Amino acid sequence: MKRSNGLPNNGYALIVDGQVKTEFTTREGAVAGARDLKRRFPVLQIRLYDAEAKRAEEFA
């Protein structure tokens, strides 16, 4: 289920250049997805959003 701002209520999401793009149930899945995107498109700004903690962190 999503919030009105597009962020998930549970799990993890990738925020790419300021927009929620993909949701994951596990942190490991989100990190793998972010790593793949960053490898293919190194200039993208990618953040990992943790719905439980309600915070996003920069993925380098």
Side-chain angles (χ1 to χ4, degrees):
M1 193 182 286
K2 290 188 176 190
R3 295 185 184 129
S4 60
N5 62 2
L7 295 171
N9 289 324
N10 53 26
Y12 298 85
L14 292 185
I15 302 172
V16 180
D17 289 341
Q19 296 189 7
V20 177
K21 294 295 184 180
T22 309
E23 295 180 26
F24 296 87
T25 55
T26 66
R27 180 172 175 78
E28 293 78 19
V31 168
R35 190 176 295 125
D36 182 53
L37 271 177
K38 200 65 165 170
R39 180 183 52 79
R40 292 186 296 146
F41 307 101
V43 297
L44 289 179
Q45 178 186 356
I46 301 173
R47 296 177 63 82
L48 293 175
Y49 176 76
D50 179 345
E52 186 176 321
K54 295 181 176 60
R55 65 182 177 97
E57 62 183 71
E58 194 72 32
F59 183 82

